[in-house]
Amino acid sequence: GAVVSQHPSWVICKSGTSVKIECRSLDFQATTMFWYRQFPKQSLMLMATSNEGSKATYEQGVEKDKFLINHASLTLSTLTVTSAHPEDSSFYICSATGRRNSPLHFGNGTRLTVT
Amino acid sequence: KQEVTQIPAALSVPEGENLVLNCSFTDSAIYNLQWFRQDPGKGLTSLLLIQSSQREQTSGRLNASLDKSSGRSTLYIAASQPGDSATYLCAVEHGSSNTGKLIFGQGTTLQVKP
């Protein structure tokens, strides 16, 4: 079955640094990828939608200059948390889909801790 | 604005019991509804997907129903096992077409005691 690989699975960084998270579709072309954030004991909240070759669309309340998304190829999208702060500590999960009406596939998530 | 609510937030049952998890959504204009399983610190595993035109889906010991008009879905787990312990998330794809954007409930954390 289709697999989405997310890397790293966990990362600890110091406040003020930037962290990049990768989301790769391993055996299909992901025309659209989605980035979600999950705070402890809360549900997943959609942050942004990225389509290959175009700018990401951010949900209301998500700072696009802080959460930089790049979807430069059909198999890779990256989320960069810039100038991370402790309140950015969260679980970030990506999902990917191919052609219209194709199933969604989720990555295993990245646990970000900012100290 | 579409909102998804799951009750209960947590549930603990002895092994072997049948159980029902509930999900409700405020706007019946959904494209589909999906149930996921999430183990601690892990990603999501899709369990069942119900299209808006369907009433239920079954997979093994799992059965999910959908009543779009009333904004409700249930996930029925038969003969629960300790391995079923996890958080179960309900999510709807809002709207009349396939966007891939999901709105999640808060989840029900299930513990099945041996």
mmCIF file with all atom_site columns, all heavy atoms in Angstrom, chain A residues 16-42:
data_model
loop_
_atom_site.group_PDB
_atom_site.id
_atom_site.type_symbol
_atom_site.label_atom_id
_atom_site.label_alt_id
_atom_site.label_comp_id
_atom_site.label_asym_id
_atom_site.label_entity_id
_atom_site.label_seq_id
_atom_site.pdbx_PDB_ins_code
_atom_site.Cartn_x
_atom_site.Cartn_y
_atom_site.Cartn_z
_atom_site.occupancy
_atom_site.B_iso_or_equiv
_atom_site.pdbx_formal_charge
_atom_site.auth_seq_id
_atom_site.auth_comp_id
_atom_site.auth_asym_id
_atom_site.auth_atom_id
_atom_site.pdbx_PDB_model_num
ATOM 1   N N   . GLY A 1 16 ? 14.280 29.841 19.279  1.00 0.00 ? 16 GLY A N   1
ATOM 2   C CA  . GLY A 1 16 ? 14.896 30.760 18.341  1.00 0.00 ? 16 GLY A CA  1
ATOM 3   C C   . GLY A 1 16 ? 15.472 30.095 17.110  1.00 0.00 ? 16 GLY A C   1
ATOM 4   O O   . GLY A 1 16 ? 15.767 30.769 16.116  1.00 0.00 ? 16 GLY A O   1
ATOM 5   N N   . THR A 1 17 ? 15.638 28.791 17.148  1.00 0.00 ? 17 THR A N   1
ATOM 6   C CA  . THR A 1 17 ? 16.168 28.081 15.985  1.00 0.00 ? 17 THR A CA  1
ATOM 7   C C   . THR A 1 17 ? 15.029 27.647 15.071  1.00 0.00 ? 17 THR A C   1
ATOM 8   O O   . THR A 1 17 ? 13.848 27.731 15.436  1.00 0.00 ? 17 THR A O   1
ATOM 9   C CB  . THR A 1 17 ? 16.988 26.853 16.400  1.00 0.00 ? 17 THR A CB  1
ATOM 10  O OG1 . THR A 1 17 ? 16.135 25.952 17.133  1.00 0.00 ? 17 THR A OG1 1
ATOM 11  C CG2 . THR A 1 17 ? 18.155 27.257 17.293  1.00 0.00 ? 17 THR A CG2 1
ATOM 12  N N   . SER A 1 18 ? 15.391 27.207 13.880  1.00 0.00 ? 18 SER A N   1
ATOM 13  C CA  . SER A 1 18 ? 14.400 26.742 12.908  1.00 0.00 ? 18 SER A CA  1
ATOM 14  C C   . SER A 1 18 ? 14.512 25.233 12.731  1.00 0.00 ? 18 SER A C   1
ATOM 15  O O   . SER A 1 18 ? 15.603 24.664 12.831  1.00 0.00 ? 18 SER A O   1
ATOM 16  C CB  . SER A 1 18 ? 14.608 27.439 11.571  1.00 0.00 ? 18 SER A CB  1
ATOM 17  O OG  . SER A 1 18 ? 14.362 28.819 11.692  1.00 0.00 ? 18 SER A OG  1
ATOM 18  N N   . VAL A 1 19 ? 13.403 24.624 12.469  1.00 0.00 ? 19 VAL A N   1
ATOM 19  C CA  . VAL A 1 19 ? 13.352 23.168 12.314  1.00 0.00 ? 19 VAL A CA  1
ATOM 20  C C   . VAL A 1 19 ? 12.594 22.827 11.039  1.00 0.00 ? 19 VAL A C   1
ATOM 21  O O   . VAL A 1 19 ? 11.530 23.398 10.778  1.00 0.00 ? 19 VAL A O   1
ATOM 22  C CB  . VAL A 1 19 ? 12.621 22.514 13.515  1.00 0.00 ? 19 VAL A CB  1
ATOM 23  C CG1 . VAL A 1 19 ? 12.441 21.019 13.282  1.00 0.00 ? 19 VAL A CG1 1
ATOM 24  C CG2 . VAL A 1 19 ? 13.381 22.769 14.797  1.00 0.00 ? 19 VAL A CG2 1
ATOM 25  N N   . LYS A 1 20 ? 13.160 21.899 10.256  1.00 0.00 ? 20 LYS A N   1
ATOM 26  C CA  . LYS A 1 20 ? 12.505 21.476 9.026   1.00 0.00 ? 20 LYS A CA  1
ATOM 27  C C   . LYS A 1 20 ? 12.006 20.050 9.168   1.00 0.00 ? 20 LYS A C   1
ATOM 28  O O   . LYS A 1 20 ? 12.742 19.163 9.609   1.00 0.00 ? 20 LYS A O   1
ATOM 29  C CB  . LYS A 1 20 ? 13.472 21.553 7.843   1.00 0.00 ? 20 LYS A CB  1
ATOM 30  C CG  . LYS A 1 20 ? 12.836 21.127 6.512   1.00 0.00 ? 20 LYS A CG  1
ATOM 31  C CD  . LYS A 1 20 ? 13.842 21.107 5.367   1.00 0.00 ? 20 LYS A CD  1
ATOM 32  C CE  . LYS A 1 20 ? 14.178 22.492 4.911   1.00 0.00 ? 20 LYS A CE  1
ATOM 33  N NZ  . LYS A 1 20 ? 15.013 22.477 3.678   1.00 0.00 ? 20 LYS A NZ  1
ATOM 34  N N   . ILE A 1 21 ? 10.758 19.842 8.776   1.00 0.00 ? 21 ILE A N   1
ATOM 35  C CA  . ILE A 1 21 ? 10.144 18.520 8.807   1.00 0.00 ? 21 ILE A CA  1
ATOM 36  C C   . ILE A 1 21 ? 9.813  18.118 7.376   1.00 0.00 ? 21 ILE A C   1
ATOM 37  O O   . ILE A 1 21 ? 9.247  18.913 6.618   1.00 0.00 ? 21 ILE A O   1
ATOM 38  C CB  . ILE A 1 21 ? 8.857  18.528 9.653   1.00 0.00 ? 21 ILE A CB  1
ATOM 39  C CG1 . ILE A 1 21 ? 9.150  18.999 11.085  1.00 0.00 ? 21 ILE A CG1 1
ATOM 40  C CG2 . ILE A 1 21 ? 8.217  17.142 9.672   1.00 0.00 ? 21 ILE A CG2 1
ATOM 41  C CD1 . ILE A 1 21 ? 7.904  19.271 11.913  1.00 0.00 ? 21 ILE A CD1 1
ATOM 42  N N   . GLU A 1 22 ? 10.164 16.890 7.014   1.00 0.00 ? 22 GLU A N   1
ATOM 43  C CA  . GLU A 1 22 ? 9.920  16.409 5.657   1.00 0.00 ? 22 GLU A CA  1
ATOM 44  C C   . GLU A 1 22 ? 8.778  15.401 5.613   1.00 0.00 ? 22 GLU A C   1
ATOM 45  O O   . GLU A 1 22 ? 8.627  14.584 6.515   1.00 0.00 ? 22 GLU A O   1
ATOM 46  C CB  . GLU A 1 22 ? 11.181 15.733 5.096   1.00 0.00 ? 22 GLU A CB  1
ATOM 47  C CG  . GLU A 1 22 ? 12.348 16.659 4.900   1.00 0.00 ? 22 GLU A CG  1
ATOM 48  C CD  . GLU A 1 22 ? 13.512 15.957 4.221   1.00 0.00 ? 22 GLU A CD  1
ATOM 49  O OE1 . GLU A 1 22 ? 13.487 14.712 4.131   1.00 0.00 ? 22 GLU A OE1 1
ATOM 50  O OE2 . GLU A 1 22 ? 14.444 16.643 3.779   1.00 0.00 ? 22 GLU A OE2 1
ATOM 51  N N   . CYS A 1 23 ? 8.039  15.466 4.536   1.00 0.00 ? 23 CYS A N   1
ATOM 52  C CA  . CYS A 1 23 ? 6.953  14.525 4.302   1.00 0.00 ? 23 CYS A CA  1
ATOM 53  C C   . CYS A 1 23 ? 7.121  14.004 2.883   1.00 0.00 ? 23 CYS A C   1
ATOM 54  O O   . CYS A 1 23 ? 7.069  14.787 1.928   1.00 0.00 ? 23 CYS A O   1
ATOM 55  C CB  . CYS A 1 23 ? 5.609  15.223 4.463   1.00 0.00 ? 23 CYS A CB  1
ATOM 56  S SG  . CYS A 1 23 ? 4.165  14.169 4.214   1.00 0.00 ? 23 CYS A SG  1
ATOM 57  N N   . ARG A 1 24 ? 7.344  12.705 2.757   1.00 0.00 ? 24 ARG A N   1
ATOM 58  C CA  . ARG A 1 24 ? 7.597  12.102 1.450   1.00 0.00 ? 24 ARG A CA  1
ATOM 59  C C   . ARG A 1 24 ? 6.577  11.028 1.126   1.00 0.00 ? 24 ARG A C   1
ATOM 60  O O   . ARG A 1 24 ? 6.242  10.206 1.976   1.00 0.00 ? 24 ARG A O   1
ATOM 61  C CB  . ARG A 1 24 ? 8.981  11.447 1.405   1.00 0.00 ? 24 ARG A CB  1
ATOM 62  C CG  . ARG A 1 24 ? 10.147 12.380 1.470   1.00 0.00 ? 24 ARG A CG  1
ATOM 63  C CD  . ARG A 1 24 ? 11.473 11.638 1.378   1.00 0.00 ? 24 ARG A CD  1
ATOM 64  N NE  . ARG A 1 24 ? 12.590 12.553 1.535   1.00 0.00 ? 24 ARG A NE  1
ATOM 65  C CZ  . ARG A 1 24 ? 13.152 13.225 0.554   1.00 0.00 ? 24 ARG A CZ  1
ATOM 66  N NH1 . ARG A 1 24 ? 12.699 13.068 -0.689  1.00 0.00 ? 24 ARG A NH1 1
ATOM 67  N NH2 . ARG A 1 24 ? 14.161 14.040 0.774   1.00 0.00 ? 24 ARG A NH2 1
ATOM 68  N N   . SER A 1 25 ? 6.095  11.053 -0.102  1.00 0.00 ? 25 SER A N   1
ATOM 69  C CA  . SER A 1 25 ? 5.268  9.950  -0.579  1.00 0.00 ? 25 SER A CA  1
ATOM 70  C C   . SER A 1 25 ? 6.215  8.977  -1.272  1.00 0.00 ? 25 SER A C   1
ATOM 71  O O   . SER A 1 25 ? 6.975  9.361  -2.156  1.00 0.00 ? 25 SER A O   1
ATOM 72  C CB  . SER A 1 25 ? 4.196  10.458 -1.541  1.00 0.00 ? 25 SER A CB  1
ATOM 73  O OG  . SER A 1 25 ? 4.786  11.124 -2.642  1.00 0.00 ? 25 SER A OG  1
ATOM 74  N N   . LEU A 1 26 ? 6.201  7.725  -0.832  1.00 0.00 ? 26 LEU A N   1
ATOM 75  C CA  . LEU A 1 26 ? 7.215  6.777  -1.284  1.00 0.00 ? 26 LEU A CA  1
ATOM 76  C C   . LEU A 1 26 ? 6.846  6.028  -2.555  1.00 0.00 ? 26 LEU A C   1
ATOM 77  O O   . LEU A 1 26 ? 7.722  5.611  -3.306  1.00 0.00 ? 26 LEU A O   1
ATOM 78  C CB  . LEU A 1 26 ? 7.518  5.772  -0.172  1.00 0.00 ? 26 LEU A CB  1
ATOM 79  C CG  . LEU A 1 26 ? 8.077  6.384  1.120   1.00 0.00 ? 26 LEU A CG  1
ATOM 80  C CD1 . LEU A 1 26 ? 8.442  5.297  2.114   1.00 0.00 ? 26 LEU A CD1 1
ATOM 81  C CD2 . LEU A 1 26 ? 9.290  7.255  0.834   1.00 0.00 ? 26 LEU A CD2 1
ATOM 82  N N   . ASP A 1 27 ? 5.572  5.838  -2.804  1.00 0.00 ? 27 ASP A N   1
ATOM 83  C CA  . ASP A 1 27 ? 5.230  5.041  -3.976  1.00 0.00 ? 27 ASP A CA  1
ATOM 84  C C   . ASP A 1 27 ? 4.069  5.617  -4.774  1.00 0.00 ? 27 ASP A C   1
ATOM 85  O O   . ASP A 1 27 ? 3.389  4.893  -5.508  1.00 0.00 ? 27 ASP A O   1
ATOM 86  C CB  . ASP A 1 27 ? 4.926  3.594  -3.579  1.00 0.00 ? 27 ASP A CB  1
ATOM 87  C CG  . ASP A 1 27 ? 3.813  3.501  -2.556  1.00 0.00 ? 27 ASP A CG  1
ATOM 88  O OD1 . ASP A 1 27 ? 3.292  4.559  -2.145  1.00 0.00 ? 27 ASP A OD1 1
ATOM 89  O OD2 . ASP A 1 27 ? 3.449  2.383  -2.170  1.00 0.00 ? 27 ASP A OD2 1
ATOM 90  N N   . PHE A 1 28 ? 3.823  6.912  -4.606  1.00 0.00 ? 28 PHE A N   1
ATOM 91  C CA  . PHE A 1 28 ? 2.818  7.547  -5.448  1.00 0.00 ? 28 PHE A CA  1
ATOM 92  C C   . PHE A 1 28 ? 3.153  9.029  -5.544  1.00 0.00 ? 28 PHE A C   1
ATOM 93  O O   . PHE A 1 28 ? 3.924  9.574  -4.762  1.00 0.00 ? 28 PHE A O   1
ATOM 94  C CB  . PHE A 1 28 ? 1.412  7.342  -4.882  1.00 0.00 ? 28 PHE A CB  1
ATOM 95  C CG  . PHE A 1 28 ? 1.128  8.073  -3.590  1.00 0.00 ? 28 PHE A CG  1
ATOM 96  C CD1 . PHE A 1 28 ? 0.407  9.262  -3.576  1.00 0.00 ? 28 PHE A CD1 1
ATOM 97  C CD2 . PHE A 1 28 ? 1.589  7.573  -2.371  1.00 0.00 ? 28 PHE A CD2 1
ATOM 98  C CE1 . PHE A 1 28 ? 0.149  9.934  -2.394  1.00 0.00 ? 28 PHE A CE1 1
ATOM 99  C CE2 . PHE A 1 28 ? 1.333  8.232  -1.182  1.00 0.00 ? 28 PHE A CE2 1
ATOM 100 C CZ  . PHE A 1 28 ? 0.607  9.419  -1.189  1.00 0.00 ? 28 PHE A CZ  1
ATOM 101 N N   . GLN A 1 29 ? 2.574  9.661  -6.525  1.00 0.00 ? 29 GLN A N   1
ATOM 102 C CA  . GLN A 1 29 ? 2.805  11.087 -6.719  1.00 0.00 ? 29 GLN A CA  1
ATOM 103 C C   . GLN A 1 29 ? 1.754  11.873 -5.937  1.00 0.00 ? 29 GLN A C   1
ATOM 104 O O   . GLN A 1 29 ? 0.556  11.754 -6.215  1.00 0.00 ? 29 GLN A O   1
ATOM 105 C CB  . GLN A 1 29 ? 2.736  11.433 -8.210  1.00 0.00 ? 29 GLN A CB  1
ATOM 106 C CG  . GLN A 1 29 ? 3.874  10.808 -9.004  1.00 0.00 ? 29 GLN A CG  1
ATOM 107 C CD  . GLN A 1 29 ? 3.868  11.255 -10.451 1.00 0.00 ? 29 GLN A CD  1
ATOM 108 O OE1 . GLN A 1 29 ? 2.827  11.503 -11.028 1.00 0.00 ? 29 GLN A OE1 1
ATOM 109 N NE2 . GLN A 1 29 ? 5.052  11.360 -11.042 1.00 0.00 ? 29 GLN A NE2 1
ATOM 110 N N   . ALA A 1 30 ? 2.225  12.625 -4.978  1.00 0.00 ? 30 ALA A N   1
ATOM 111 C CA  . ALA A 1 30 ? 1.339  13.365 -4.096  1.00 0.00 ? 30 ALA A CA  1
ATOM 112 C C   . ALA A 1 30 ? 1.121  14.767 -4.641  1.00 0.00 ? 30 ALA A C   1
ATOM 113 O O   . ALA A 1 30 ? 1.950  15.658 -4.452  1.00 0.00 ? 30 ALA A O   1
ATOM 114 C CB  . ALA A 1 30 ? 1.922  13.421 -2.690  1.00 0.00 ? 30 ALA A CB  1
ATOM 115 N N   . THR A 1 31 ? 0.018  14.966 -5.312  1.00 0.00 ? 31 THR A N   1
ATOM 116 C CA  . THR A 1 31 ? -0.253 16.290 -5.853  1.00 0.00 ? 31 THR A CA  1
ATOM 117 C C   . THR A 1 31 ? -0.624 17.274 -4.753  1.00 0.00 ? 31 THR A C   1
ATOM 118 O O   . THR A 1 31 ? -0.410 18.481 -4.894  1.00 0.00 ? 31 THR A O   1
ATOM 119 C CB  . THR A 1 31 ? -1.390 16.224 -6.881  1.00 0.00 ? 31 THR A CB  1
ATOM 120 O OG1 . THR A 1 31 ? -2.521 15.596 -6.268  1.00 0.00 ? 31 THR A OG1 1
ATOM 121 C CG2 . THR A 1 31 ? -0.980 15.403 -8.095  1.00 0.00 ? 31 THR A CG2 1
ATOM 122 N N   . THR A 1 32 ? -1.205 16.747 -3.685  1.00 0.00 ? 32 THR A N   1
ATOM 123 C CA  . THR A 1 32 ? -1.604 17.611 -2.571  1.00 0.00 ? 32 THR A CA  1
ATOM 124 C C   . THR A 1 32 ? -1.150 17.003 -1.253  1.00 0.00 ? 32 THR A C   1
ATOM 125 O O   . THR A 1 32 ? -1.289 15.795 -1.048  1.00 0.00 ? 32 THR A O   1
ATOM 126 C CB  . THR A 1 32 ? -3.137 17.789 -2.525  1.00 0.00 ? 32 THR A CB  1
ATOM 127 O OG1 . THR A 1 32 ? -3.592 18.269 -3.789  1.00 0.00 ? 32 THR A OG1 1
ATOM 128 C CG2 . THR A 1 32 ? -3.529 18.791 -1.445  1.00 0.00 ? 32 THR A CG2 1
ATOM 129 N N   . MET A 1 33 ? -0.598 17.842 -0.413  1.00 0.00 ? 33 MET A N   1
ATOM 130 C CA  . MET A 1 33 ? -0.218 17.413 0.935   1.00 0.00 ? 33 MET A CA  1
ATOM 131 C C   . MET A 1 33 ? -0.825 18.366 1.951   1.00 0.00 ? 33 MET A C   1
ATOM 132 O O   . MET A 1 33 ? -1.016 19.555 1.668   1.00 0.00 ? 33 MET A O   1
ATOM 133 C CB  . MET A 1 33 ? 1.301  17.364 1.085   1.00 0.00 ? 33 MET A CB  1
ATOM 134 C CG  . MET A 1 33 ? 1.945  16.220 0.318   1.00 0.00 ? 33 MET A CG  1
ATOM 135 S SD  . MET A 1 33 ? 3.705  16.083 0.678   1.00 0.00 ? 33 MET A SD  1
ATOM 136 C CE  . MET A 1 33 ? 4.110  14.557 -0.150  1.00 0.00 ? 33 MET A CE  1
ATOM 137 N N   . PHE A 1 34 ? -1.123 17.828 3.107   1.00 0.00 ? 34 PHE A N   1
ATOM 138 C CA  . PHE A 1 34 ? -1.743 18.599 4.173   1.00 0.00 ? 34 PHE A CA  1
ATOM 139 C C   . PHE A 1 34 ? -0.870 18.504 5.419   1.00 0.00 ? 34 PHE A C   1
ATOM 140 O O   . PHE A 1 34 ? -0.314 17.453 5.723   1.00 0.00 ? 34 PHE A O   1
ATOM 141 C CB  . PHE A 1 34 ? -3.144 18.047 4.503   1.00 0.00 ? 34 PHE A CB  1
ATOM 142 C CG  . PHE A 1 34 ? -4.070 17.992 3.320   1.00 0.00 ? 34 PHE A CG  1
ATOM 143 C CD1 . PHE A 1 34 ? -4.126 16.862 2.527   1.00 0.00 ? 34 PHE A CD1 1
ATOM 144 C CD2 . PHE A 1 34 ? -4.881 19.071 3.010   1.00 0.00 ? 34 PHE A CD2 1
ATOM 145 C CE1 . PHE A 1 34 ? -4.970 16.805 1.438   1.00 0.00 ? 34 PHE A CE1 1
ATOM 146 C CE2 . PHE A 1 34 ? -5.740 19.022 1.921   1.00 0.00 ? 34 PHE A CE2 1
ATOM 147 C CZ  . PHE A 1 34 ? -5.776 17.888 1.127   1.00 0.00 ? 34 PHE A CZ  1
ATOM 148 N N   . TRP A 1 35 ? -0.787 19.605 6.125   1.00 0.00 ? 35 TRP A N   1
ATOM 149 C CA  . TRP A 1 35 ? -0.047 19.630 7.387   1.00 0.00 ? 35 TRP A CA  1
ATOM 150 C C   . TRP A 1 35 ? -1.003 19.907 8.533   1.00 0.00 ? 35 TRP A C   1
ATOM 151 O O   . TRP A 1 35 ? -1.777 20.858 8.492   1.00 0.00 ? 35 TRP A O   1
ATOM 152 C CB  . TRP A 1 35 ? 1.051  20.689 7.350   1.00 0.00 ? 35 TRP A CB  1
ATOM 153 C CG  . TRP A 1 35 ? 2.183  20.297 6.462   1.00 0.00 ? 35 TRP A CG  1
ATOM 154 C CD1 . TRP A 1 35 ? 2.380  20.650 5.147   1.00 0.00 ? 35 TRP A CD1 1
ATOM 155 C CD2 . TRP A 1 35 ? 3.305  19.468 6.804   1.00 0.00 ? 35 TRP A CD2 1
ATOM 156 N NE1 . TRP A 1 35 ? 3.529  20.073 4.670   1.00 0.00 ? 35 TRP A NE1 1
ATOM 157 C CE2 . TRP A 1 35 ? 4.119  19.360 5.664   1.00 0.00 ? 35 TRP A CE2 1
ATOM 158 C CE3 . TRP A 1 35 ? 3.689  18.811 7.978   1.00 0.00 ? 35 TRP A CE3 1
ATOM 159 C CZ2 . TRP A 1 35 ? 5.293  18.608 5.660   1.00 0.00 ? 35 TRP A CZ2 1
ATOM 160 C CZ3 . TRP A 1 35 ? 4.854  18.078 7.982   1.00 0.00 ? 35 TRP A CZ3 1
ATOM 161 C CH2 . TRP A 1 35 ? 5.654  17.983 6.821   1.00 0.00 ? 35 TRP A CH2 1
ATOM 162 N N   . TYR A 1 36 ? -0.919 19.042 9.561   1.00 0.00 ? 36 TYR A N   1
ATOM 163 C CA  . TYR A 1 36 ? -1.757 19.167 10.746  1.00 0.00 ? 36 TYR A CA  1
ATOM 164 C C   . TYR A 1 36 ? -0.869 19.340 11.975  1.00 0.00 ? 36 TYR A C   1
ATOM 165 O O   . TYR A 1 36 ? 0.279  18.910 12.002  1.00 0.00 ? 36 TYR A O   1
ATOM 166 C CB  . TYR A 1 36 ? -2.621 17.916 10.950  1.00 0.00 ? 36 TYR A CB  1
ATOM 167 C CG  . TYR A 1 36 ? -3.689 17.690 9.912   1.00 0.00 ? 36 TYR A CG  1
ATOM 168 C CD1 . TYR A 1 36 ? -3.405 17.072 8.704   1.00 0.00 ? 36 TYR A CD1 1
ATOM 169 C CD2 . TYR A 1 36 ? -5.001 18.096 10.151  1.00 0.00 ? 36 TYR A CD2 1
ATOM 170 C CE1 . TYR A 1 36 ? -4.390 16.852 7.753   1.00 0.00 ? 36 TYR A CE1 1
ATOM 171 C CE2 . TYR A 1 36 ? -6.000 17.877 9.207   1.00 0.00 ? 36 TYR A CE2 1
ATOM 172 C CZ  . TYR A 1 36 ? -5.684 17.260 8.019   1.00 0.00 ? 36 TYR A CZ  1
ATOM 173 O OH  . TYR A 1 36 ? -6.673 17.044 7.078   1.00 0.00 ? 36 TYR A OH  1
ATOM 174 N N   . ARG A 1 37 ? -1.474 19.920 13.011  1.00 0.00 ? 37 ARG A N   1
ATOM 175 C CA  . ARG A 1 37 ? -0.783 20.078 14.285  1.00 0.00 ? 37 ARG A CA  1
ATOM 176 C C   . ARG A 1 37 ? -1.689 19.523 15.361  1.00 0.00 ? 37 ARG A C   1
ATOM 177 O O   . ARG A 1 37 ? -2.919 19.719 15.311  1.00 0.00 ? 37 ARG A O   1
ATOM 178 C CB  . ARG A 1 37 ? -0.484 21.560 14.534  1.00 0.00 ? 37 ARG A CB  1
ATOM 179 C CG  . ARG A 1 37 ? 0.194  21.862 15.865  1.00 0.00 ? 37 ARG A CG  1
ATOM 180 C CD  . ARG A 1 37 ? 0.673  23.300 15.906  1.00 0.00 ? 37 ARG A CD  1
ATOM 181 N NE  . ARG A 1 37 ? -0.367 24.255 15.597  1.00 0.00 ? 37 ARG A NE  1
ATOM 182 C CZ  . ARG A 1 37 ? -0.163 25.557 15.508  1.00 0.00 ? 37 ARG A CZ  1
ATOM 183 N NH1 . ARG A 1 37 ? 1.051  26.066 15.682  1.00 0.00 ? 37 ARG A NH1 1
ATOM 184 N NH2 . ARG A 1 37 ? -1.161 26.361 15.230  1.00 0.00 ? 37 ARG A NH2 1
ATOM 185 N N   . GLN A 1 38 ? -1.094 18.830 16.310  1.00 0.00 ? 38 GLN A N   1
ATOM 186 C CA  . GLN A 1 38 ? -1.867 18.230 17.390  1.00 0.00 ? 38 GLN A CA  1
ATOM 187 C C   . GLN A 1 38 ? -1.203 18.547 18.714  1.00 0.00 ? 38 GLN A C   1
ATOM 188 O O   . GLN A 1 38 ? -0.100 18.067 18.997  1.00 0.00 ? 38 GLN A O   1
ATOM 189 C CB  . GLN A 1 38 ? -1.964 16.713 17.198  1.00 0.00 ? 38 GLN A CB  1
ATOM 190 C CG  . GLN A 1 38 ? -2.840 16.013 18.224  1.00 0.00 ? 38 GLN A CG  1
ATOM 191 C CD  . GLN A 1 38 ? -2.917 14.516 17.987  1.00 0.00 ? 38 GLN A CD  1
ATOM 192 O OE1 . GLN A 1 38 ? -1.947 13.904 17.543  1.00 0.00 ? 38 GLN A OE1 1
ATOM 193 N NE2 . GLN A 1 38 ? -4.060 13.917 18.267  1.00 0.00 ? 38 GLN A NE2 1
ATOM 194 N N   . PHE A 1 39 ? -1.880 19.343 19.544  1.00 0.00 ? 39 PHE A N   1
ATOM 195 C CA  . PHE A 1 39 ? -1.394 19.618 20.885  1.00 0.00 ? 39 PHE A CA  1
ATOM 196 C C   . PHE A 1 39 ? -1.823 18.483 21.799  1.00 0.00 ? 39 PHE A C   1
ATOM 197 O O   . PHE A 1 39 ? -2.787 17.767 21.501  1.00 0.00 ? 39 PHE A O   1
ATOM 198 C CB  . PHE A 1 39 ? -1.912 20.969 21.382  1.00 0.00 ? 39 PHE A CB  1
ATOM 199 C CG  . PHE A 1 39 ? -1.308 22.130 20.652  1.00 0.00 ? 39 PHE A CG  1
ATOM 200 C CD1 . PHE A 1 39 ? -2.061 22.884 19.756  1.00 0.00 ? 39 PHE A CD1 1
ATOM 201 C CD2 . PHE A 1 39 ? 0.020  22.486 20.842  1.00 0.00 ? 39 PHE A CD2 1
ATOM 202 C CE1 . PHE A 1 39 ? -1.500 23.953 19.074  1.00 0.00 ? 39 PHE A CE1 1
ATOM 203 C CE2 . PHE A 1 39 ? 0.587  23.548 20.157  1.00 0.00 ? 39 PHE A CE2 1
ATOM 204 C CZ  . PHE A 1 39 ? -0.184 24.272 19.265  1.00 0.00 ? 39 PHE A CZ  1
ATOM 205 N N   . PRO A 1 40 ? -1.106 18.303 22.922  1.00 0.00 ? 40 PRO A N   1
ATOM 206 C CA  . PRO A 1 40 ? -1.406 17.183 23.828  1.00 0.00 ? 40 PRO A CA  1
ATOM 207 C C   . PRO A 1 40 ? -2.882 17.121 24.197  1.00 0.00 ? 40 PRO A C   1
ATOM 208 O O   . PRO A 1 40 ? -3.487 18.139 24.554  1.00 0.00 ? 40 PRO A O   1
ATOM 209 C CB  . PRO A 1 40 ? -0.527 17.485 25.047  1.00 0.00 ? 40 PRO A CB  1
ATOM 210 C CG  . PRO A 1 40 ? 0.622  18.245 24.491  1.00 0.00 ? 40 PRO A CG  1
ATOM 211 C CD  . PRO A 1 40 ? 0.046  19.088 23.391  1.00 0.00 ? 40 PRO A CD  1
ATOM 212 N N   . LYS A 1 41 ? -3.424 15.935 24.078  1.00 0.00 ? 41 LYS A N   1
ATOM 213 C CA  . LYS A 1 41 ? -4.817 15.648 24.436  1.00 0.00 ? 41 LYS A CA  1
ATOM 214 C C   . LYS A 1 41 ? -5.817 16.487 23.638  1.00 0.00 ? 41 LYS A C   1
ATOM 215 O O   . LYS A 1 41 ? -6.960 16.654 24.072  1.00 0.00 ? 41 LYS A O   1
ATOM 216 C CB  . LYS A 1 41 ? -5.042 15.836 25.933  1.00 0.00 ? 41 LYS A CB  1
ATOM 217 C CG  . LYS A 1 41 ? -4.171 14.908 26.787  1.00 0.00 ? 41 LYS A CG  1
ATOM 218 C CD  . LYS A 1 41 ? -4.650 14.812 28.190  1.00 0.00 ? 41 LYS A CD  1
ATOM 219 C CE  . LYS A 1 41 ? -3.744 13.895 29.007  1.00 0.00 ? 41 LYS A CE  1
ATOM 220 N NZ  . LYS A 1 41 ? -3.720 12.522 28.479  1.00 0.00 ? 41 LYS A NZ  1
ATOM 221 N N   . GLN A 1 42 ? -5.392 16.979 22.503  1.00 0.00 ? 42 GLN A N   1
ATOM 222 C CA  . GLN A 1 42 ? -6.311 17.687 21.620  1.00 0.00 ? 42 GLN A CA  1
ATOM 223 C C   . GLN A 1 42 ? -6.323 17.002 20.257  1.00 0.00 ? 42 GLN A C   1
ATOM 224 O O   . GLN A 1 42 ? -5.520 16.115 19.978  1.00 0.00 ? 42 GLN A O   1
ATOM 225 C CB  . GLN A 1 42 ? -5.897 19.148 21.470  1.00 0.00 ? 42 GLN A CB  1
ATOM 226 C CG  . GLN A 1 42 ? -6.012 19.940 22.761  1.00 0.00 ? 42 GLN A CG  1
ATOM 227 C CD  . GLN A 1 42 ? -5.761 21.414 22.541  1.00 0.00 ? 42 GLN A CD  1
ATOM 228 O OE1 . GLN A 1 42 ? -5.988 21.946 21.458  1.00 0.00 ? 42 GLN A OE1 1
ATOM 229 N NE2 . GLN A 1 42 ? -5.282 22.088 23.570  1.00 0.00 ? 42 GLN A NE2 1
#
